[in-house]
Amino acid sequence: MRDYAKVVPKMWHGKTIKALRRSPEGLVVALYLMSSPSSNMLGLFAQPVLYMAHETGLGQEGAMKGLQKCVEVGYCSYDEDSEFVWVHEMASYQIASELKASDLRCKGIQKDYDALPDNPFLGVFFDRYQQAFHLERKRGNSDSSKAPSKGLRSQEQEQEQEQEQEKNEEPNGSVAGGDGAGTDQTCLLDDEPSADVVVKDSKLSRCDVDAVVSAYHEILPELPRVRLLSDKRRKAIARVWRWVLTSKKSDNTPRAQSASEAIEWLRGYFSRARDNDFLMGRSQRSAEHAGWQCDLDFLLTDRGMQHVIERTVTKGGAA
């Protein structure tokens, strides 16, 4: 997290901010992006809408409305899949409009740019600031990075789409009780493990869906119970199971190398979620976000896992 961010007074007279005046949510989001805990001086960073909604107090709908307005007026670009945002002129405000080639900050900017995760805006960022900051090494594809931001769907639209998809699915799971009882719920992942897979033998341990659901019920009894194991939910559990067995923690040690270790890690993950005040509803929420409730489905998403692993203050070690 940066110690400070620059907010230039003359920005209020710029045409982009003027265009946002009719949208209070847009103004709040614009200022938030400039000073977000996730931001950097390049203006190119991962920014989940969930955090924006919570930290601005706008709620999910307000944050998405404001972000969409910022995209429409050309203040920023946002990619919903990667959750990366590029605030177009932020680097010129936070660093300088241009630097001399001898300025040591040019090397620092190149280093920070090189360290960014892959995202759709790497190419267009380089094109915008290559001459201003004397950048030498380009990443990404200019054509894909210049593509317009995808439309941002509201929470209601996402829920409607999920409900429609579930109507078209034929669930072959069973209705599970508190003990996870039901038909055989195990599954073997079909995907081939990546080159750096960290597992014993050459195959992944079988995914014990029953044990995962039971651990969720035991550790998070306040959250909604799992009553139907549809194909969609089983696949989500299997996907996380595979990730636990094929990834490393921040201290570079394997998360798990066997089924028992995978269950143990997931139990720790659910316990970590329990320590998160926002997810458990212990922190104050805006009126628009007051009705939202965390559940197993959210905890199995990339967004949920990022929130639990990166944003939960806990006494535990590396996750």
Side-chain angles (χ1 to χ4, degrees):
M1 184 185 300
R2 296 186 295 161
D3 293 330
Y4 67 91
K6 297 179 183 177
V7 178
V8 184
K10 67 178 182 180
M11 65 176 282
W12 294 102
H13 300 293
K15 64 178 183 179
T16 304
I17 294 299
K18 285 183 178 180
L20 289 172
R21 288 179 182 174
R22 296 181 180 179
S23 171
E25 296 91 348
L27 282 174
V28 172
V29 169
L31 288 173
Y32 173 78
L33 291 176
M34 196 172 292
S35 57
S36 165
S38 304
S39 67
N40 54 43
M41 65 179 181
L42 303 184
L44 181 53
F45 51 94
Q47 182 58 68
V49 175
L50 178 66
Y51 303 159
M52 186 189 307
H54 175 58
E55 291 168 343
T56 61
L58 290 173
Q60 189 84 354
E61 285 300 307
M64 295 180 75
K65 180 180 178 181
L67 180 57
Q68 185 66 59
K69 189 63 178 179
C70 287
V71 171
E72 290 175 0
V73 302
Y75 178 82
C76 67
S77 296
Y78 188 83
D79 179 67
E80 193 173 3
D81 291 338
S82 65
E83 296 185 315
F84 254 79
V85 65
W86 176 39
V87 183
H88 302 157
E89 300 303 316
M90 186 162 169
S92 63
Y93 281 116
Q94 300 299 308
I95 305 171
S97 57
E98 60 180 329
L99 298 173
K100 293 182 178 180
S102 58
D103 195 315
L104 295 179
R105 286 179 291 175
C106 293
K107 292 184 178 180
I109 294 168
Q110 180 72 63
K111 182 178 180 181
D112 289 346
Y113 172 77
D114 292 341
L116 287 171
D118 289 338
N119 66 80
F121 307 119
L122 290 170
V124 72
F125 175 89
F126 184 92
D127 293 341
R128 166 64 180 84
Y129 290 105
Q130 178 185 12
Q131 294 184 356
F133 299 146
H134 307 279
L135 302 178
E136 299 176 351
R137 296 180 299 279
K138 182 177 181 178
R139 298 173 57 199
N141 184 299
S142 293
D143 291 335
S144 61
S145 63
K146 288 179 181 177
S149 299
K150 296 181 179 180
L152 300 173
R153 294 174 295 173
S154 67
Q155 190 176 25
E156 284 78 6
Q157 286 174 322
E158 290 180 345
Q159 291 174 344
E160 288 174 1
Q161 183 179 24
E162 289 180 359
Q163 291 170 358
E164 186 65 27
Q165 289 175 344
E166 289 182 357
K167 287 179 182 178
N168 296 329
E169 290 178 352
E170 289 294 331
N172 58 6
S174 64
V175 176
D179 58 355
T183 58
D184 181 57
Q185 305 286 351
T186 59
C187 58
L188 183 63
L189 299 178
D190 296 325
D191 296 336
E192 290 295 325
S194 57
D196 60 343
V197 167
V198 186
V199 289
K200 294 178 179 179
D201 303 323
S202 59
K203 295 182 179 179
L204 294 172
S205 300
R206 294 179 69 86
C207 174
D208 192 344
V209 176
D210 276 348
V212 175
V213 173
S214 294
Y216 165 77
H217 286 157
E218 176 188 343
I219 298 170
L220 295 166
E222 304 92 337
L223 299 186
R225 299 182 67 80
V226 175
R227 301 191 181 279
L228 179 66
L229 282 168
S230 63
D231 277 346
K232 179 179 178 181
R233 189 168 276 162
R234 287 159 57 88
K235 288 176 182 178
I237 294 174
R239 174 177 170 272
V240 171
W241 180 273
R242 181 183 185 279
W243 178 80
V244 172
L245 287 168
T246 60
S247 62
K248 295 182 179 181
K249 296 185 286 187
S250 57
D251 60 3
N252 207 37
T253 59
R255 286 188 166 83
Q257 295 179 289
S258 65
S260 60
E261 290 179 2
I263 290 296
E264 188 63 27
W265 187 90
L266 285 165
R267 290 181 65 84
Y269 172 70
F270 291 142
S271 297
R272 200 177 184 97
R274 189 180 181 81
D275 292 335
N276 189 295
D277 290 338
F278 176 75
L279 295 181
M280 298 303 294
R282 294 189 292 263
S283 62
Q284 186 175 1
R285 294 176 177 173
S286 65
E288 292 184 35
H289 209 65
W292 181 82
Q293 188 174 25
C294 179
D295 56 16
L296 178 63
D297 294 329
F298 177 76
L299 293 174
L300 295 175
T301 64
D302 290 343
R303 184 178 299 178
M305 297 193 75
Q306 184 180 13
H307 192 102
V308 172
I309 294 173
E310 295 183 355
R311 297 238 173 171
T312 303
V313 178
T314 178
K315 296 180 180 179

